[in-house]
Amino acid sequence: MHKSGFVNIIGNPNAGKSTLMNALVDDQLSIITPKAQTTRHRIIGILNNPDYQIVFSDTPGLVNPHYKLQESMMTGVRSALQDADVFILLSDLGEDFKNQDIIEKIKLSGVPIILLLNKIDLSNQDDIAAKIEAWKQKLPTAQILPVSALHKFNMEAVVSMILEHLPEAPPYYPKDEVSDRNLRFFVSEIIREKILLFYQKEIPYSVEVVVDSYEESETIDKIRALIYVERESQKAIIIGNKGAALKKVGKESRKQMEKFLGKQVFLELYVKVMKDWRDNEKILKRFGYDL
């Protein structure tokens, strides 16, 4: 008997969805930073076992869109409502869901719901018990489980809950695959992660990374990537004094890429200005966003 199915993870920007998916599949597929709205695309992570295949979907955090890039991010969330065998709603103990419309659609779907209370390592038993009781009132049909995605606490219990609801089916993907994304995607996300970590305020949210060329060989991969910003002033900040800031991004990105790929990487980074790209449908489509 082999089980397969799609499990879609939905939550607020700070709930820890990417950390959860990485913990469940035991791999660094989604980038993780302390900043909200780190995830822009719907990312698939695949957990394979001889008896089952669980296809996790990490969606962008729930936001009320203010420009077309955020509208695209919410399109990814809405598409995740259509193909789920199980929904994981991930809630930080200190917050409630910001987009009630999405929650209502999930409730009306009839799809099994597992509600995970994340970051319990930052709370106490009384607060956890109170939050569980509150969620029982809001989602009486949901299975509720406290977890710590960061410390991988209760991950086996999450998988067991999921398997209760998955249908018998052959695997949807080859058993040696861990994601539906290609190397170019993961390389660009590694660079964007460093930008989110090293720069402040609006700069990280004004950046898009595109891999312009990727030459593979057995011993070294040669990668050329373009960092797009919206204004000349942002370009100057990304590059930094005498190129120091950009060199730091390149150095740390290359180190992580070499760990991810298991070989040497030669990385070139260039910064270009593309005015107001976040609100331009044509450019967003070119960058691979679904509108």
Side-chain angles (χ1 to χ4, degrees):
M1 181 179 73
H2 187 279
K3 291 188 170 188
S4 292
F6 289 85
V7 177
N8 295 341
I9 305 170
I10 293 175
N12 286 338
N14 288 319
K17 296 179 291 74
S18 299
T19 306
L20 176 69
M21 188 176 81
N22 290 345
L24 287 166
V25 302
D26 198 26
D27 207 341
Q28 177 87 24
L29 297 181
S30 291
I31 63 173
I32 301 169
T33 78
K35 293 184 172 70
Q37 299 177 42
T38 295
T39 302
R40 287 179 176 173
H41 298 270
R42 185 181 178 190
I43 300 171
I44 295 293
I46 304 167
L47 178 60
N48 287 302
N49 180 281
D51 298 323
Y52 60 80
Q53 182 181 81
I54 304 175
V55 183
F56 292 101
S57 177
D58 177 18
T59 60
L62 300 175
V63 296
N64 294 315
H66 296 295
Y67 42 85
K68 292 190 185 300
L69 171 61
Q70 290 182 330
E71 290 176 13
S72 168
M73 289 159 62
M74 289 304 95
T75 297
V77 175
R78 286 190 291 271
S79 69
L81 300 178
Q82 298 170 10
D83 58 10
D85 293 294
V86 179
F87 283 115
I88 287 180
L89 294 187
L90 189 65
S91 175
D92 186 329
L93 280 165
E95 68 178 357
D96 287 318
F97 283 99
K98 296 174 181 175
N99 193 316
Q100 290 302 314
D101 178 56
I102 296 291
I103 303 306
E104 288 304 313
K105 286 180 179 177
I106 289 172
K107 287 168 66 175
L108 292 171
S109 70
V111 173
I113 300 169
I114 298 173
L115 187 123
L116 301 181
L117 295 176
N118 195 22
K119 305 181 184 180
I120 62 167
D121 49 302
L122 304 178
S123 189
N124 58 63
Q125 289 296 327
D126 290 340
D127 288 344
I128 294 168
K131 199 71 173 179
I132 289 173
E133 194 56 40
W135 275 112
K136 282 181 179 177
Q137 301 300 316
K138 292 179 186 177
L139 289 172
T141 63
Q143 293 175 279
I144 302 175
L145 184 68
V147 301
S148 171
L150 180 63
H151 298 289
K152 298 186 178 181
F153 174 72
N154 260 350
M155 294 300 104
E156 290 183 7
V158 175
V159 172
S160 295
M161 278 187 174
I162 291 167
L163 291 174
E164 291 175 16
H165 302 292
L166 291 193
E168 291 183 32
Y172 291 97
Y173 293 91
K175 283 287 193 134
D176 58 349
E177 288 191 10
V178 295
S179 181
D180 64 335
R181 297 284 184 171
N182 59 26
L183 288 180
R184 282 176 176 248
F185 175 81
F186 289 115
V187 163
S188 67
E189 286 289 271
I190 286 170
I191 298 166
R192 196 167 65 83
E193 179 185 58
K194 303 311 171 194
I195 292 168
L196 279 156
L197 290 171
F198 298 156
Y199 298 87
Q200 301 302 316
K201 298 181 181 178
E202 183 65 13
I203 293 295
Y205 301 106
S206 303
V207 164
E208 179 67 18
V209 179
V210 176
V211 176
D212 187 49
S213 66
Y214 194 128
E215 297 178 27
E216 291 186 65
S217 72
E218 286 188 17
T219 56
I220 187 169
D221 285 3
K222 297 180 179 180
I223 301 165
R224 182 178 187 270
L226 307 177
I227 299 171
Y228 287 100
V229 294
E230 293 187 302
R231 296 188 295 277
E232 289 290 341
S233 59
Q234 294 168 346
K235 178 179 178 179
I237 293 170
I238 290 286
I239 294 171
N241 185 31
K242 298 181 179 179
L246 187 62
K247 286 177 184 175
K248 182 181 179 183
V249 171
K251 178 183 176 182
E252 296 303 317
S253 297
R254 179 182 54 77
K255 283 164 60 177
Q256 188 170 333
M257 287 174 196
E258 289 181 338
K259 184 178 178 182
F260 182 75
L261 297 168
K263 58 176 139 176
Q264 281 188 292
V265 168
F266 176 76
L267 176 64
E268 293 181 288
L269 295 179
Y270 298 89
V271 186
K272 293 192 172 187
V273 177
M274 189 167 286
K275 188 172 168 38
D276 298 326
W277 69 264
R278 286 184 296 176
D279 236 358
N280 187 311
E281 287 192 16
K282 185 177 179 181
I283 295 172
L284 286 168
K285 286 179 181 177
R286 177 178 148 195
F287 286 160
Y289 291 98
D290 184 15
L291 294 169

